[in-house]
């Protein structure tokens, strides 16, 4: 299930920005044009990367999208339906499918030069963190990472120190390269837009690294980064068996994604890719339920922008209760199954 | 296989357990009198370099492990820690207190250092926990034109300078292969850094520590970003506790979360 509430939110905002597009360009006196780099896999757009188009629209000026990979054209057709986007540039070449930075960054350099873009935006995802800084170095630009708000064409807001401080910075670079925090910009919704789809430049640069394999955790549950509800387990779950037995039914009853603290991941209760925090995923769902998680600052960095935070912990002094909108002090092994049953019964 | 000459960049940051405070003028985070330590991801880098040597994981052996840090005089403490963990020597690039370098400048500095030290493997942390930029490693690889493997949780050496790296990516892990020279950035799962023992701390005091400046590398501290202001994030107030599961469900419904 996609986060429909957030998508609905995206619409009016996008519409507003699009209608004031020409005004914004006129005021600045300089032509702004932004390239949003979209992630795809097997021709399917990564829903989270559509946030890059929302962020691009906020800048004002022309918005183009960029997609490369083995079935880039298929993904391009989806992205072309996003209102306010003028053009989607595609490069259909299997060499770019896995987003290897060694050939993807030079590919971007060629297309950015050709389009004379003033801004380049991609998600602060594993892909964005891998490719964008390499691109920035090739363009001699000081990238701005994990942007949560765009004040104007050169002023950006980003969290530092695990979100314990918020920095506003002004860039003097000719080409501004941003990675954006997905949860801070609602994903753009492919709707009735009609962007033109054009073939990009393909320098066919060879890669000095090769992709060998991947092992992705398979799950029918919502994607952690974009889910509207997240239930997260910590060290209090005691074992992988207990984690699965207690947390998964609750997640399913709520239709939530499953997350975990670093302690739970390090102890092998949950997969690494489920870690929420400064060094894992940053989430901002409608509901974040922390179970058996004390609330270290590194964990809070990944979830404190959630709309509602609920905590279940047996330690009444756990720091998580300082941020939780609702807290229940008690044994999770009794309370969570009871909660699961009552949520199910309420449906 | 080539003998490894490993360069390990380390950064002195506010200790991870300290809650940072924004200064009165809202220009930066207060650093005076605050406990500092080595960036946790950089500890993983040093540990990995030392383990590659100790476990003889690379066929060509490890010829040199050089730690490098740019920062004020106190950055030398961090370099001594790296040497106590097993690095052979250190390079301190002196930068005035409070005159922080942007990642692009650090990457350019490291590019020069790599050329000078004839490094063929650079192991960096995936991000520093102060500015959370996660840029220096890939920027360095781009400047050098070397392959990169970011967010590594496993590094294996094969034949003919080939290196296979397992990377943490969204949704799982990915494995890539490249040849030396290579830039790798470390993720939490790569290893567990050791504590430096007292004898090793003593020995580290005798190891070579070179002092250089950015000027020696033909660089200056060019700032592309102007910090307009630094503020505290909006405080989140706890909403109080409930007695039981029914109370929890009731409150969540009231808040519109269920």
């Amino acid at each position: 299930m996609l986060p429909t509430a957030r998508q609905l939110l995206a619409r009016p905002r996008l519409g507003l920005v699009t209608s004031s597009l020409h005004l914004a360009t006129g005021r600045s006196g300089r032509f702004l044009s932004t390239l949003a780099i979209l992630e795809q896999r097997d021709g399917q757009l990564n829903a989270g990367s559509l946030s890059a188009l929302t962020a691009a629209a906020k800048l004002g000026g022309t918005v183009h999208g960029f997609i490369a990979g083995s079935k880039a054209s298929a993904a391009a057709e989806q992205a072309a339906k996003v209102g306010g986007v003028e053009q989607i540039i595609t490069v259909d070449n299997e060499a770019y499918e896995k987003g290897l930075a060694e050939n993807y960054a030079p590919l971007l350099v060629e297309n950015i030069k050709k389009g004379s873009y003033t801004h380049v935006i991609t998600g602060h995802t594993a892909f964005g963190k891998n490719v964008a800084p390499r691109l920035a170095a090739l363009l001699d630009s000081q990238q701005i990472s994990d942007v949560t708000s765009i004040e104007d064409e050169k002023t950006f807001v980003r969290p530092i120190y695990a979100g314990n401080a918020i920095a506003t910075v002004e860039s003097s670079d000719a080409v501004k390269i941003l990675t954006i925090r997905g949860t801070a910009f609602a994903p753009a919704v492919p709707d009735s837009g009609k962007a033109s789809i054009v073939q990009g430049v393909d320098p066919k640069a060879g890669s000095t690294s090769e992709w060998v394999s991947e092992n992705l955790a398979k799950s029918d549950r919502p994607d952690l980064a974009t889910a509207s509800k997240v239930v997260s387990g910590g060290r209090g779950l005691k074992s992988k068996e207990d984690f699965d037995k207690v947390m998964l039914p609750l997640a399913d009853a709520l239709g939530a994604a499953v997350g975990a603290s670093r302690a739970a991941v390090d102890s092998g209760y949950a997969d690494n890719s489920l870690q929420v925090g400064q060094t894992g995923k940053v989430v901002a769902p409608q509901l974040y339920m922390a179970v058996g998680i004390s609330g270290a600052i590194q964990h809070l960095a990944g979830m404190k922008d959630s709309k509602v935070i609920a905590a279940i912990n047996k330690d009444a002094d756990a720091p998580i209760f300082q941020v939780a909108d609702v807290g229940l002090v008690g044994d999770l092994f009794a309370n969570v199954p009871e909660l699961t049953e009552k949520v199910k019964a309420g449906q | 296989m080539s003998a490894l000459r490993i360069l390990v960049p380390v950064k002195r940051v506010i200790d991870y357990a300290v809650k940072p405070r924004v200064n009165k003028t809202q220009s930066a985070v207060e650093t005076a009198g605050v406990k500092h330590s080595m960036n946790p991801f950089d500890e993983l880098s040093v540990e990995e370099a030392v383990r590659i040597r100790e476990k003889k994981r690379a066929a060509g052996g490890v010829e040199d492990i050089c730690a490098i840090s740019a920062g004020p005089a106190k950055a030398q403490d961090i370099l001594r820690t790296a040497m106590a963990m097993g690095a052979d020597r250190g390079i301190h690039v002196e930068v005035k207190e409070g005159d922080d370098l942007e990642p692009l400048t650090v990457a350019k500095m490291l590019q020069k250092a790599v050329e000078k030290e004839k490094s063929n493997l650079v192991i960096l942390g995936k991000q520093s926990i102060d500015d959370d930029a996660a840029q220096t490693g890939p920027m360095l690889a781009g400047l050098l034109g070397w392959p990169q493997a970011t967010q590594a949780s496993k590094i294996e050496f094969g034949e003919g300078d080939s290196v296979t790296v397992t990377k943490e990516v969204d949704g799982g892990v990915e494995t890539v292969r490249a040849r030396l020279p290579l830039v790798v950035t470390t993720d939490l799962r790569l290893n567990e850094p050791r504590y430096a023992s007292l004898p090793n701390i003593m020995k580290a005091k005798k190891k070579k520590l070179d002092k250089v400046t950015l000027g020696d590398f033909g660089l200056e501290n060019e700032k592309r970003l102007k910090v307009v202001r630094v503020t505290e994030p909006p405080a989140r107030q706890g909403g109080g506790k409930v007695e039981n599961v029914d109370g929890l469900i009731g409150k969540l419904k009231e808040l519109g979360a269920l």
Side-chain angles (χ1 to χ4, degrees), chain A residues 162 181 230 232 260 276-278 281-285 287-290 293 295-311 320 323-324, chain B residues 236:
Chain A
R181 179 172 286 201
V230 173
S232 238
V276 172
Q278 183 184 19
K281 291 262 182 352
V282 176
V283 301
L287 171 63
Y288 187 88
M289 192 171 289
I293 291 176
I297 53 177
Q298 289 79 13
H299 186 74
L300 299 183
M303 45 64 83
K304 68 180 176 185
D305 291 328
S306 305
K307 186 100 191 313
V308 173
I309 298 173
I320 190 78
V323 299
Chain B
R236 208 178 163 117

Side-chain angles (χ1 to χ4, degrees), chain A residues 98 100-102 124-126 129-130 133-134 136-138 140-145 151 155 158-173 208-217 229 254 262 265-266 271-273 275 278-279 281 286-287 289 297-298 304-310 312 316 321-329 335 338-339 342-343, chain B residues 14 16-20 22 29 31 41 102-105 108 126-136 138-143 145-151 153 164 167-179 187-189 223-234 236-249 251-252 255 257-258:
Chain A
K98 301 298 179 186
L100 293 169
E102 294 82 355
H124 194 64
T125 57
K129 284 186 261 190
N130 191 38
R134 189 171 179 115
L138 297 180
D140 196 34
S141 176
Q142 174 51 58
Q143 178 187 318
I144 303 135
S145 293
E151 289 202 345
T155 316
R158 58 180 303 265
I160 53 175
Y161 290 91
N164 282 293
I166 309 295
T168 304
V169 296
E170 211 176 271
S171 165
S172 56
D173 279 317
T208 46
S209 76
E210 62 173 311
W211 182 89
V212 178
S213 64
E214 67 190 0
N215 185 4
L216 302 183
K229 290 178 184 155
L254 287 165
R262 182 185 169 190
V265 169
D266 281 352
D271 190 79
N272 297 349
S273 60
Q275 187 183 325
Q278 183 184 19
T279 61
K281 291 262 182 352
Q286 297 291 315
L287 171 63
M289 192 171 289
I297 53 177
Q298 289 79 13
K304 68 180 176 185
D305 291 328
S306 305
K307 186 100 191 313
V308 173
I309 298 173
I312 300 177
F321 288 121
Q322 290 162 22
V323 299
D325 298 289
V326 49
L328 175 58
V329 180
N335 286 310
E338 185 188 340
L339 175 64
K342 287 185 171 161
V343 168
Chain B
I14 291 183
Y16 75 93
V18 174
K19 188 172 160 57
V22 172
V29 160
T31 52
F41 292 100
E102 290 173 358
L104 185 61
T105 309
K108 287 176 179 173
K126 76 165 175 179
Q127 73 191 67
S128 65
I129 61 164
D130 50 2
D131 77 348
D132 282 330
Q135 296 174 1
T136 307
M139 279 181 163
L140 173 64
L143 293 174
W146 290 8
Q148 67 187 54
T150 49
Q151 302 187 206
S153 57
T164 304
K167 306 168 51 180
E168 306 251 326
V169 294
D170 300 336
V173 294
E174 178 182 271
T175 304
V176 295
R177 189 181 297 131
R179 278 177 200 291
D187 211 326
L188 280 176
R189 247 65 60 182
K223 300 257 189 192
R224 306 292 186 83
L225 301 181
K226 187 176 115 193
V227 177
V228 181
R229 64 184 165 273
V230 177
T231 55
E232 299 270 357
R236 208 178 163 117
Q237 287 299 324
K241 292 176 182 139
V242 292
E243 289 300 314
N244 51 33
V245 170
D246 289 328
L248 182 69
I249 291 173
K251 190 77 195 285
L252 288 177
L255 293 167
L258 269 188

Side-chain angles (χ1 to χ4, degrees), chain B residues 28-69:
Chain B
V29 160
E30 195 60 67
T31 52
V34 177
K35 186 187 176 198
H36 283 65
S37 330
M38 192 191 299
N39 180 42
F41 292 100
D42 303 344
E43 292 184 351
L44 298 161
S45 309
V46 178
E47 177 68 32
E48 194 65 13
V50 175
R51 285 191 193 188
I52 292 167
R53 166 185 279 157
E54 286 175 348
K55 311 260 185 220
K56 299 185 170 43
R57 278 160 46 192
V62 176
E63 188 180 292
D64 179 49
I65 300 173
C66 177
I68 182 168
S69 190

